[in-house]
Amino acid sequence: QVQLRESGGGSVQAGGSLRLSCVTSGYDFSRYCMGWFRQAPGQQRETVARIDPQGSTYYEDFVQGRFTISQNAAKDTLYLQMNNLKPEDTALYLCAADSCPDGIWVDYNYWGPGTQVTVSS
């Protein structure tokens, strides 16, 4: 059974940093693509960053070099380092995983419950 669980969210002031973690189980971590997504109240879920098993990454434009996605296969854990946070980054952040034989742009079927990030001005 595939399971994902995020942690590391919290409340910070603008300009601050947070490091999100997503601990996974139930599948071969080294064979799946993973991603971070976020959803603010009343808005659609959006991609933040994606990573494939080889470590190739993709970031949405709004990240603007502030966030870094990484993974540790030995710990079955995905990370998102977020620096220079802005109030508009406030959202529920979710990690997702799935097999990706056709590349990084996969429709993820496995999701964690999310961790809340709140950035105050």
Side-chain angles (χ1 to χ4, degrees):
Q1 180 181 3
V2 176
Q3 292 186 326
L4 297 88
R5 172 71 64 175
E6 305 90 340
S7 64
S11 297
V12 296
Q13 291 191 328
S17 298
L18 285 172
R19 188 193 194 202
L20 307 184
S21 299
C22 175
V23 177
T24 73
S25 63
Y27 67 97
D28 188 345
F29 186 92
S30 65
R31 293 181 178 271
Y32 272 35
C33 288
M34 298 197 68
W36 284 101
F37 299 77
R38 69 185 189 183
Q39 187 165 20
Q43 298 188 18
Q44 288 189 332
R45 186 172 62 202
E46 61 182 353
T47 301
V48 176
R50 297 173 182 243
I51 189 166
D52 72 9
Q54 290 73 41
S56 296
T57 58
Y58 167 83
Y59 297 94
E60 285 292 321
D61 288 345
F62 64 77
V63 169
Q64 298 175 339
R66 300 180 297 129
F67 297 177
T68 302
I69 188 171
S70 63
Q71 56 193 2
N72 185 329
K75 296 184 177 181
D76 292 340
T77 303
L78 178 74
Y79 303 99
L80 185 68
Q81 177 66 44
M82 305 188 295
N83 299 325
N84 192 21
L85 283 161
K86 305 176 181 180
E88 52 265 41
D89 293 319
T90 295
L92 182 69
Y93 283 71
L94 308 100
C95 65
D98 214 323
S99 60
C100 50
D102 298 322
I104 202 169
W105 294 104
V106 61
D107 291 329
Y108 293 99
N109 286 302
Y110 303 107
W111 294 82
T115 185
Q116 179 68 36
V117 172
T118 302
V119 185
S120 58
S121 58

